[in-house]
Amino acid sequence: MFVDRATIVVKGGNGGKGCCSFRREKYVPNGGPDGGDGGDGGNVILFATTGEQSLVDLMYNRHYAAPSGPGGKGKDMHGRKAPDITIRIPVGTVITDRATGEVIVDMDEDNKTFVIAKGGKGGRGNPRFATNTNRAPRESEPGEEGEAREIYLELKTIADVGLVGYPNAGKSTLLRAVSAARPKVAPYPFTTLHPMVGVIEYPDFHRITVADIPGLIEGAHANVGLGHAFLKHIERTSILAYVLDMAGVDGRNPVDDLKHLRIELELYMKGLSTRPAIIVANKMDLPESAANLELLKKELASEVIEIVPVAAGVDEIGNLKQVLRNKVQEQKRAPFDF
Ligand SMILES: Nc1nc2c(ncn2[C@@H]2O[C@H](COP(=O)(O)OP(=O)(O)OP(=O)(O)O)[C@@H](O)[C@H]2O)c(=O)[nH]1
Ligand SMILES: [Mg+2]
């Protein structure tokens, strides 16, 4: 099952109690204070990893409490720090504080860690309260409470390229053709039910990531079809690739498809439709496609946008990999081109 949002409660362990004790030994009268400090409570740590794809585990287990620190003991025995607990989450998970609505952290990199709930400090034992005038203090501290908070986690996929298209346009077929990812392909709409990220590898070991999301239809921004819930997974891609069915197999035409896709993206999020993009003209192996390609080129004559004709279904992807790579690189450089 794919789950891209979850609410959980995290709590750091309490600090252990500081101890109040005095040294008692034969022939040693009035031994001084020797109560140990309590151990610190464990932290709850978030760990982002590409090894996780979904937040499904967090849906079943909603409470994460780190162990408390043990109390101090006599003979100056301090409590050991309690172990931390780690929650593994997919890269791209954004963490929000439920109480304030504020974003706490964006777990946007592989292997990133973040202490989401700190354990309490252990209390001090009675030797710490000794002074020149009070050499036998009877005071000691309780441990501090561990930090507790309710957090909301939302996965927003981070990939270099986001594939956008109508259902059946061939997005998943395309991802299979360019990467080792194996999304399901079938001749009916809404085959893809959740996002999947594939990796394109180049002969020089360069890699770019491509996110396939469920198909969009008119009204997607208003939650028609499956599209809306998944648009957030392309919000953060550097470039978009519009995948068009050039043969109009489902009785639409690619020029209208592109228009509608752009409208849906813009309605969902301002500026999304003008993000750097390329157009993948798919299904060029079918007879109707050639004429439609000419119409599309005419329609886009005034725009600077690259159109790459392919037939992903028969593994003909032309120079698509190279075009994607160049466009992604161009985009990554862009912030520095003042
Ligand atoms: N003739 C031809 N058929 C293709 C081509 N690419 C994909 N198809 C077919 O189009 C249908 C839909 O392909 P998918 O890859 O599942 O389409 P999708 O865009 O991922 O669809 P959803 O996941 O439903 O949004 C399948 O039957 C594919 O075999 C192509 O280049 N030529
Ligand atoms: Mg698909």
Side-chain angles (χ1 to χ4, degrees):
M1 189 171 37
F2 181 80
V3 174
D4 58 8
R5 57 188 75 184
T7 300
I8 61 171
V9 175
V10 287
K11 182 171 182 320
N14 296 332
K17 225 167 104 66
C19 173
C20 177
S21 149
F22 293 92
R23 184 168 167 213
R24 289 192 201 291
E25 238 173 281
K26 227 175 176 180
Y27 312 120
V28 184
N30 299 332
D34 69 352
D37 299 340
D40 296 344
N43 302 311
V44 180
I45 295 175
L46 297 175
F47 176 65
T49 165
T50 47
E52 296 289 335
Q53 297 287 342
S54 130
L55 295 170
V56 66
D57 296 345
L58 278 63
M59 203 175 84
Y60 293 111
N61 189 0
R62 302 220 322 111
H63 291 266
Y64 295 82
S68 296
K73 289 188 184 158
K75 297 194 180 158
D76 286 318
M77 288 192 282
H78 301 305
R80 197 183 269 268
K81 182 192 173 306
D84 296 335
I85 62 170
T86 299
I87 306 175
R88 292 165 60 89
I89 53 176
V91 176
T93 306
V94 180
I95 317 295
T96 315
D97 191 319
R98 278 295 296 254
T100 63
E102 263 170 62
V103 171
I104 304 170
V105 61
D106 182 356
M107 300 298 282
D108 56 355
E109 271 169 52
D110 198 14
N111 296 325
K112 182 166 177 169
T113 59
F114 184 82
V115 177
I116 190 70
K118 259 185 94 60
K121 279 204 85 54
R124 291 177 295 172
N126 63 332
R128 310 272 192 172
F129 296 89
T131 59
N132 283 342
T133 49
N134 178 11
R135 292 195 288 166
R138 291 184 180 278
E139 262 170 274
S140 65
E141 279 175 339
E144 241 173 48
E145 283 248 342
E147 203 180 350
R149 63 212 308 195
E150 190 177 23
I151 57 170
Y152 174 66
L153 302 91
E154 188 172 28
L155 174 59
K156 294 183 171 198
T157 306
I158 300 174
D160 297 312
V161 182
L163 299 181
V164 184
Y166 268 75
N168 270 343
K171 300 177 295 300
S172 302
T173 309
L174 190 74
L175 189 63
R176 289 174 80 105
V178 296
S179 77
R182 286 289 164 265
K184 184 172 167 190
V185 166
Y188 52 80
F190 300 118
T191 309
T192 301
L193 298 175
H194 62 74
M196 180 177 251
V197 177
V199 180
I200 307 183
E201 298 203 24
Y202 295 86
D204 62 353
F205 303 109
H206 185 78
R207 308 168 94 204
I208 66 176
T209 49
V210 181
D212 177 24
I213 63 165
L216 299 179
I217 55 177
E218 272 188 87
H221 72 279
N223 241 344
V224 179
L226 291 172
H228 178 75
F230 296 105
L231 278 171
K232 66 180 175 211
H233 293 287
I234 53 161
E235 266 176 32
R236 313 212 281 175
T237 56
S238 356
I239 70 159
L240 298 177
Y242 294 100
V243 181
L244 303 179
D245 171 354
M246 297 309 286
V249 173
D250 290 334
R252 298 180 317 266
N253 78 71
V255 172
D256 287 348
D257 282 2
L258 179 64
K259 264 187 211 152
H260 291 142
L261 288 170
R262 284 174 157 175
I263 291 172
E264 289 307 321
L265 292 187
E266 197 60 27
L267 288 172
Y268 169 74
M269 184 187 206
K270 213 168 155 7
L272 193 55
S273 71
T274 45
R275 189 167 292 183
I278 67 155
I279 290 174
V280 181
N282 191 29
K283 307 199 185 178
M284 289 307 295
D285 56 311
L286 297 176
E288 303 83 346
S289 301
N292 279 334
L293 181 61
E294 289 317 307
L295 289 175
L296 184 70
K297 281 184 178 163
K298 217 180 265 168
E299 181 75 19
L300 296 175
S302 61
E303 282 186 46
V304 196
I305 187 163
E306 190 149 3
I307 304 175
V308 189
V310 302
V314 290
D315 262 328
E316 277 178 30
I317 51 164
N319 61 344
L320 179 63
K321 285 192 190 181
Q322 203 49 48
V323 172
L324 287 173
R325 178 175 179 169
N326 294 347
K327 193 80 190 168
V328 168
Q329 251 162 9
E330 198 179 292
Q331 188 46 28
K332 285 196 169 155
R333 273 202 312 270
F336 305 103
D337 284 351
F338 292 112

